[in-house]
Amino acid sequence: MSGSVVLLHLAGAIALMLFATRLVKTGVERAYGDVLRHKLRATMRNPLMAVLAGTGLAVAFQSSTAVTLLVASFAGAGIVSGIAGQLAVRGAEIGSALVVKLLTFDLSLLVPLCLTAGTVMFMATERRDWRQFGRILIGIGLLLLSLEMIGQASEPLRDSQLMPMIVNYFAGDPVTAYLLAALVTWLFHSSIAAVLLMATLAGRGFIPPELGIVLVLGVNLGSSIIAPILTRRADPGIRVVPIGNLLMRGAGSLAMLVLFLAFDPPVAMLGSTVPDQIVNAHILFNCIILIAGLPLATLVYRLSQKIVELGTPPEPANALADTELSALDEKALDHPGQALANATREVVHVCETVEIMLNRIIDLYDKADEQKIAALSLLDDRIDKRHAAIKLYLAKLTTRSLSETEALRCQELLGACVKLEQVGDIIVRNMLAHVSKKMERGLTFTDEGWREITAFHDAVLTNARLTFNVLISRDPETARQIVLEKDRLRDMEKQSSQRHFERLRDGTVKSMETSTIHLDTIRDLKQINSLLASIAYPVLEQQGLLRGSRLQAATT
């Protein structure tokens, strides 16, 4: 077999591994994301629980980077402290290392079981939770299959005359090997995939143990760089956690490399085989970083704040009210396709503002002040201005000669913009009023009542993001999922109301004091979800999947 064919097979196996990892992560986010986010909010107050929560989330999401981004968003919103967020990320790194350890065992029998069971569950039902669990099983099966494929694809390299020369070069130049491993991990966007690849190649005899330790340290450097790059344009409060992780894990890997090269400790104690030594070294490194990070947490957090502040230009006091650039080019009106694209860009800006408002309103229920309330009201003014501009722009466009498809798209964008404007009004006129009332009277929800509200809000926010995607992609499967979720949220509302009235019957004081706010908030969130779900209707109508107020049965 020629070298190019071997590399092609190896590239295909690696691509399957990356896809399978993403498939598992997507399935977990869609099926259990709301619950996991809610659990994270509730447990991050305690440092030990923050570490354990990060570990559990990394195992569930199959990605420490995903956990880092999630925790960073919570820290940026003030839901958790920056120190607790960094401890959670420390736990997430250990969780991802444990996933690697689990996947190195002989799990070949699980491949057909996971693929069969996952496919049956995904195709045999329309229930969202079952379909997503089936997606998770398929992803696990493909991940295990990809590891077998990597081993088989690399087998011909045993007879290669070039491979020993490459390995010997990197063994003699550990700094280059360290940086190359960091680059590969950054390209993969997954430390799990990078370590699994190295362990698999080491099992075939291609990587000696000393070089494997160097590569593992490079993997940890590369993994620590991913989140800071992805959040480089985010709010300063969000960037602090990824920067702190880079300081601890990235700098820790560099320090550990220097110590390893200086003292050349024996690696046999890490395991009886080279793959075990590589994986165990990965786990040991992250445990050391966690232990070292506990006493240094406050120092690292302050240092990361200083670094973020140095790279953040000062914002004007009225930043929320600043006028933004508009995509509504009047010159493009004579070219309907281009004009519709411009209008779509502008509607996307409205979607982004609505998502910001949805994110911030739930935080105000927990901790509000007059300044934050006023800032949120300014966002609604921004939506009103954009809505008026888009409506006028599309009205002018309808005076041109449009095809049937262009006319339908024009109506679809106008309808979406109207509904987004109504969502903004509900948040500001209704939900902000509840926030002000709660703040003025010093009221607090019961723990159970607050869990119900945040869980309902998380579900609505997830559906909102899916709706914004459908507005661009026009994917019928996602649109169908959004409408099905509308029915699920109706059931959630009924269950929440029943539990609330049970607390009222039991005479719970907090429930009686916050009864109106609780019920009205759930009602407002349900109305927001209904408005957003209706944005997906045109896609389903064009596919013949919508009949009256009910979804038609799928024909495929």
Side-chain angles (χ1 to χ4, degrees):
M1 186 181 295
S2 66
S4 58
V5 174
V6 172
L7 292 177
L8 180 61
H9 280 283
L10 188 59
I14 294 172
L16 180 61
M17 178 173 61
L18 296 176
F19 174 76
T21 304
R22 182 177 179 84
L23 197 64
V24 174
K25 181 170 74 73
T26 302
V28 173
E29 287 178 343
R30 292 181 180 179
Y32 309 110
D34 296 341
V35 175
L36 293 175
R37 291 184 182 95
H38 174 67
K39 293 294 184 184
L40 183 63
R41 287 179 174 179
T43 58
M44 287 279 285
R45 313 287 182 183
N46 183 293
L48 177 60
M49 293 304 297
V51 173
L52 295 176
T55 303
L57 285 172
V59 173
F61 285 127
Q62 301 267 297
S63 171
S64 59
T65 300
V67 178
T68 302
L69 297 176
L70 176 62
V71 172
S73 68
F74 284 165
I79 297 173
V80 300
S81 69
I83 295 177
Q86 292 191 2
L87 291 176
V89 173
R90 299 273 66 74
E93 305 297 355
I94 293 178
S96 68
L98 293 177
V99 170
V100 174
K101 183 65 176 178
L102 178 63
L103 293 174
T104 56
F105 293 126
D106 184 9
L107 303 174
S108 56
L109 185 60
L110 288 179
V111 174
L113 291 176
C114 288
L115 292 177
T116 302
T119 302
V120 170
M121 293 175 67
F122 188 84
M123 300 185 65
T125 179
E126 290 297 327
R127 285 186 55 182
R128 180 174 182 264
D129 52 348
W130 283 95
R131 286 173 65 87
Q132 296 310 323
F133 188 66
R135 184 190 299 271
I136 294 169
L137 290 178
I138 293 172
I140 293 173
L142 292 177
L143 180 58
L144 297 174
L145 178 62
S146 69
L147 297 177
E148 295 181 13
M149 291 175 60
I150 290 174
Q152 295 171 1
S154 60
E155 187 66 27
L157 294 177
R158 288 178 181 272
D159 302 325
S160 171
Q161 297 179 353
L162 180 62
M163 192 66 182
M165 296 174 59
I166 296 175
V167 173
N168 289 335
Y169 171 79
F170 284 118
D173 188 358
V175 175
T176 301
Y178 171 78
L179 296 175
L180 179 63
L183 176 62
V184 169
T185 305
W186 179 78
L187 291 173
F188 284 3
H189 271 41
S190 171
S191 61
I192 292 177
V195 177
L196 283 175
L197 174 62
M198 293 171 188
T200 303
L201 293 177
R204 300 285 171 168
F206 297 120
I207 299 177
E210 292 77 12
L211 177 59
I213 304 300
V214 172
L215 294 175
V216 162
L217 295 174
V219 166
N220 282 278
L221 172 65
S223 180
S224 67
I225 294 173
I226 299 171
I229 291 178
L230 294 177
T231 59
R232 64 189 182 279
R233 297 180 181 176
D235 293 337
I238 295 176
R239 292 162 54 202
V240 169
V241 171
I243 291 296
N245 183 45
L246 177 60
L247 290 176
M248 279 301 300
R249 195 179 181 201
S253 72
L254 182 59
M256 203 69 70
L257 175 67
V258 173
L259 293 174
F260 181 75
L261 295 179
F263 295 99
D264 191 22
V267 299
M269 66 181 70
L270 293 174
S272 58
T273 65
V274 179
D276 286 342
Q277 292 167 0
I278 289 176
V279 174
N280 293 338
H282 184 50
I283 297 174
L284 178 61
F285 170 80
N286 284 287
C287 288
I288 292 173
I289 294 299
L290 170 62
I291 295 172
L294 291 174
L296 296 175
T298 302
L299 177 62
V300 171
Y301 176 64
R302 291 175 180 172
L303 184 58
S304 59
Q305 280 185 312
K306 294 294 184 182
I307 294 174
V308 170
E309 289 173 2
L310 289 175
T312 305
E315 290 188 8
N318 61 340
L320 288 177
D322 287 346
T323 302
E324 294 186 335
L325 293 176
S326 172
L328 303 178
D329 184 6
E330 297 281 337
K331 297 178 181 178
L333 288 172
D334 291 330
H335 306 280
Q338 183 178 345
L340 286 172
N342 291 340
T344 301
R345 286 176 53 195
E346 203 70 7
V347 174
V348 168
H349 286 309
V350 178
C351 291
E352 292 171 349
T353 306
V354 167
E355 183 174 351
I356 292 172
M357 294 177 70
L358 273 174
N359 265 310
R360 292 186 179 180
I361 188 63
I362 198 66
D363 300 332
L364 293 181
Y365 271 83
D366 187 35
K367 186 178 180 182
D369 57 52
E370 295 294 344
Q371 185 177 0
K372 292 180 179 179
I373 292 174
L376 193 61
S377 297
L378 288 176
L379 289 177
D380 185 53
D381 294 339
R382 180 190 296 180
I383 289 178
D384 291 341
K385 291 178 182 178
R386 285 193 180 275
H387 170 247
I390 294 171
K391 184 168 58 176
L392 179 61
Y393 188 79
L394 292 176
K396 292 179 181 179
L397 180 61
T398 57
T399 63
R400 271 64 171 181
S401 177
L402 303 179
S403 66
E404 182 179 354
T405 301
E406 290 168 342
L408 289 173
R409 180 60 172 169
C410 186
Q411 290 299 318
E412 182 181 346
L413 290 174
L414 182 59
C417 199
V418 169
K419 293 177 178 68
L420 291 169
E421 193 265 343
Q422 291 173 343
V423 169
D425 287 344
I426 292 173
I427 293 174
V428 170
R429 296 178 185 177
N430 297 357
M431 300 184 75
L432 270 187
H434 305 329
V435 167
S436 298
K437 181 179 178 181
K438 179 176 178 290
M439 182 179 64
E440 292 168 0
R441 299 184 182 181
L443 303 176
T444 56
F445 295 108
T446 63
D447 291 342
E448 186 178 357
W450 180 238
R451 284 196 297 269
E452 291 170 4
I453 290 175
T454 53
F456 202 93
H457 171 268
D458 286 343
V460 172
L461 184 59
T462 300
N463 290 341
R465 290 166 176 159
L466 291 176
T467 299
F468 302 155
N469 290 340
V470 166
L471 191 61
I472 304 301
S473 68
R474 301 182 58 76
D475 176 43
E477 178 59 31
T478 305
R480 180 180 177 82
Q481 179 182 338
I482 292 169
V483 178
L484 289 172
E485 280 293 291
K486 183 179 177 183
D487 293 335
R488 188 175 75 90
L489 259 67
R490 183 173 61 245
D491 294 337
M492 284 181 64
E493 181 202 22
K494 291 178 181 178
Q495 294 169 3
S496 177
S497 298
Q498 289 172 357
R499 287 191 292 264
H500 179 72
F501 285 122
E502 288 173 2
R503 293 192 292 272
L504 290 178
R505 286 196 299 268
D506 293 339
T508 306
V509 176
K510 289 184 178 180
S511 294
M512 291 187 285
E513 291 177 340
T514 60
S515 179
T516 301
I517 298 177
H518 180 105
L519 295 175
D520 287 349
T521 297
I522 295 293
R523 180 204 63 198
D524 292 334
L525 288 171
K526 179 189 173 187
Q527 186 177 359
I528 288 172
N529 187 77
S530 296
L531 286 167
L532 294 174
S534 63
I535 294 177
Y537 288 173
V539 176
L540 294 170
E541 288 174 351
Q542 291 183 17
Q543 297 290 327
L545 296 175
L546 198 67
R547 181 177 59 198
S549 61
R550 298 281 183 179
L551 281 168
Q552 290 190 21
T555 58
T556 60

